Amino acid sequence: MFYRLARQNSHRHRIFDVFGDFCEMLAIEFSQAVDLTQREQRGARYAALLQKYDRSERERFAQMTACLVNALESGMSDCLGTLFMGMDLGNAGTGQFFTPYEVSRLTAQMTLLGADELIARKGFITLSEPACGAGGMVIAAADTLRSMGVNYQECMHVTAVDIDRTACHMTYIQMSLLHIPGIVIHGNALAPQSPWEQWVTPAHVLGRWDERLACARAVEAMRALLVDDPAHHPGADDAPPPAKTGPDCPNRRAATQMALF
Ligand SMILES: C[S@@+](CC[C@H](N)C(=O)[O-])C[C@H]1O[C@@H](n2cnc3c(N)ncnc32)[C@H](O)[C@@H]1O
């Protein structure tokens, strides 16, 4: 059905543009609901894209969205990645051959062994995907956590990068529909200091992940301070001064407050 609709929309446009424009417009729709900082610029881009299509073509885009939602509702998978590969839209030059979902799932199961214990201790895990494609590996990680009885919507934060815009849009759409907290960065993973654009998912914003991540970083920094403090590495013969090891130790007090916050 999705293929048929996309092909019908490609009578006046290249199929590559139809798929890319569909993904970009849908990504913008999600982003507009949560990211006020990009609202004006993305709104203008959306209007420009929409103008390219007539009424019946726009209606087909809405039906393509429904197909995608229905597919993801019936089970987690790399739905857009499979469609993208099925339509032969991959750029061989940048190695756009997406991993079959079953293989991503197996990889995630091996990588996330013991993740439930880590989450029980730390509250959440972070996951980095530096060449995300359509987000298949990210979805497989969420799927794996879910099958371990862990709520990935609360306990996993993803940073996904791709050099290709449509890949970023696909990942962002699927992460948004599956309510995966994270940031999708359009950029070169080999030059991470200069990203071109970034997309925060609705789950990232609604879950206040900027604060959660900042807090976790502060706790880590405090822990590092405590470990560096020689008072907390007493040798056999040199007992630390009492005031520094008790609850009044400034480092320990601050770290406790951060952890409680
Ligand atoms: C082989 S695909 C893998 C996609 C996904 N990880 C999967 O397993 O399905 C590689 C992806 O890396 C992206 N890519 C290639 N060079 C990159 C770079 N320097 N920085 C970020 N992404 C890159 C491509 O656009 C492509 O989407």
Side-chain angles (χ1 to χ4, degrees):
M1 174 82 163
F2 187 100
Y3 288 127
R4 186 168 55 77
L5 291 163
R7 263 193 220 102
Q8 284 171 348
N9 265 10
S10 64
H11 291 157
R12 297 191 308 127
H13 311 274
R14 290 188 316 153
I15 187 84
F16 184 82
D17 293 334
V18 169
F19 189 87
D21 291 346
F22 164 75
C23 289
E24 185 168 0
M25 284 196 284
L26 191 51
I28 291 175
E29 282 175 27
F30 285 118
S31 163
Q32 291 297 74
V34 290
D35 191 351
L36 301 183
T37 62
Q38 314 265 358
R39 198 165 229 181
E40 212 170 304
Q41 175 210 340
R42 286 192 177 149
R45 174 72 183 152
Y46 186 91
L49 289 171
L50 200 62
Q51 269 200 343
K52 289 169 65 178
Y53 297 93
D54 65 26
R55 192 191 170 114
S56 51
E57 288 166 342
R58 290 177 193 182
E59 273 168 17
R60 279 187 212 108
F61 277 149
Q63 291 171 36
M64 285 159 70
T65 304
C67 287
L68 176 64
V69 171
N70 286 339
L72 285 176
E73 259 182 12
S74 69
M76 292 174 87
S77 71
D78 182 7
C79 189
L80 279 177
T82 308
L83 289 164
F84 183 83
M85 294 310 287
M87 294 162 92
D88 202 18
L89 299 176
N91 177 350
T94 52
Q96 279 189 324
F97 303 103
F98 300 156
T99 309
Y101 189 67
E102 293 71 22
V103 179
S104 301
R105 189 76 163 79
L106 194 64
T107 310
Q109 279 166 2
M110 292 189 290
T111 311
L112 292 173
L113 269 180
D116 46 352
E117 283 161 30
L118 191 62
I119 288 168
R121 247 185 315 119
K122 299 189 93 176
F124 64 87
I125 56 167
T126 55
L127 193 143
S128 173
E129 186 7 332
C132 59
M137 292 278 183
V138 173
I139 297 168
D143 198 359
T144 301
L145 287 181
R146 194 170 72 149
S147 64
M148 291 161 82
V150 174
N151 181 358
Y152 68 81
Q153 299 182 348
E154 292 275 335
C155 302
M156 177 179 82
H157 186 273
V158 176
T159 303
V161 184
D162 205 286
I163 205 162
D164 180 274
R165 290 181 78 233
T166 301
C168 290
H169 299 147
M170 286 192 279
T171 300
Y172 181 72
I173 290 166
Q174 300 199 107
M175 284 175 65
S176 298
L177 284 171
L178 295 168
H179 206 65
I180 298 175
I183 302 178
V184 181
I185 296 169
H186 177 218
N188 183 348
L190 303 175
Q193 61 284 358
S194 49
W196 299 309
E197 200 181 2
Q198 77 176 37
W199 299 73
V200 287
T201 67
H204 172 97
V205 177
L206 298 174
R208 304 176 69 97
W209 279 91
D210 281 337
E211 287 93 331
R212 281 188 81 179
L213 293 168
C215 188
R217 274 194 294 272
V219 170
E220 279 309 312
M222 286 298 174
R223 281 214 182 98
L225 268 180
L226 283 171
V227 169
D228 286 346
D229 187 342
H232 296 280
H233 292 289
D237 300 328
D238 52 347
K244 287 204 111 186
T245 56
D248 288 339
C249 164
N251 287 349
R252 176 171 291 182
R253 210 171 42 235
T256 311
Q257 280 163 3
M258 284 296 183
L260 289 175
F261 175 74

